[in-house]
Amino acid sequence: MQIIRTEVTQATAPTGQPILRVIFCGEGGDCVTVDMARVYGGNNEAAISRAKAALVQTATLDLAVNDYDARSNWQFDEVAVTATKDENGGLYIFEYRDGGRGRQVPPSRMPSLEAAREEAVRCAIDLLVDLQPGTDDLSGWLVRLRDENGELLYAIDVQEAEAARLTRP
């Protein structure tokens, strides 16, 4: 879908809770709406950035990355990754923990390792919103960042994400 217009509005969830709604409108009248409970940064640009990340994260929800993952019943102990790099920056692989499962999204082009790490931290903060104390495991990693060869660069855990959340505006 070719996006021709993006709208950011305040709305109310069915629970009565205020939410931020980002609407991506495309040619032919198709629209995709992302409702978010909280957006850190407080401006439209931050809301759009978080909505895009949510779309990327959900685009691969419950899909196996490869045959091994399809057979693994989401119990990962092996990761197969392929990626490339060129003069426009590096490709980084983001892996997200979703409950007891992990999932990878297609490699993302980032201008630098620091930009990729900052995105991993931001995504980990977003994942904190969905964790339920007493129900979810609040230990271990939330987001892992790998290089183009699949080598682990960073693992952002719950404590690091919470500390980063508290220091951000």
Side-chain angles (χ1 to χ4, degrees):
M1 175 169 76
Q2 178 70 33
I3 303 296
I4 60 172
R5 186 177 79 247
T6 303
E7 300 173 19
V8 178
T9 63
Q10 298 290 325
T12 303
T15 62
Q17 185 178 23
I19 59 172
L20 195 58
R21 177 170 287 156
V22 177
I23 305 168
F24 299 98
C25 299
E27 293 177 334
D30 292 334
C31 292
V32 175
T33 302
V34 179
D35 290 345
M36 299 172 287
R38 292 181 243 173
V39 174
Y40 301 99
N43 60 35
N44 285 358
E45 189 173 304
I48 291 169
S49 177
R50 182 165 177 228
K52 286 179 182 178
L55 289 173
V56 169
Q57 291 170 9
T58 58
T60 59
L61 184 63
D62 292 332
L63 297 178
V65 173
N66 54 44
D67 288 339
Y68 173 82
D69 292 352
R71 294 186 312 273
S72 71
N73 194 25
W74 302 101
Q75 302 300 315
F76 300 108
D77 59 3
E78 176 183 312
V79 178
V81 176
T82 58
T84 61
K85 181 178 180 180
D86 65 18
E87 67 278 355
N88 295 321
L91 287 180
Y92 297 92
I93 297 105
F94 293 86
E95 186 176 2
Y96 302 97
R97 186 178 89 184
D98 185 13
R101 302 184 285 183
R103 69 182 189 281
Q104 290 182 347
V105 296
S108 299
R109 183 169 310 283
M110 304 297 284
S112 68
L113 175 59
E114 186 53 39
R117 184 182 184 289
E118 183 61 28
E119 178 66 9
V121 170
R122 190 192 61 71
C123 290
I125 291 170
D126 288 347
L127 290 172
L128 283 176
V129 174
D130 298 328
L131 294 178
Q132 302 293 320
T135 304
D136 292 323
D137 180 11
L138 299 179
S139 64
W141 65 276
L142 290 173
V143 177
R144 291 193 287 207
L145 176 64
R146 297 181 182 276
D147 70 9
E148 63 188 339
N149 299 314
E151 294 297 318
L152 183 65
L153 301 172
Y154 293 103
I156 312 301
D157 64 16
V158 173
Q159 290 76 25
E160 184 177 353
E162 182 62 24
R165 184 187 69 79
L166 293 173
T167 63
R168 298 202 176 192

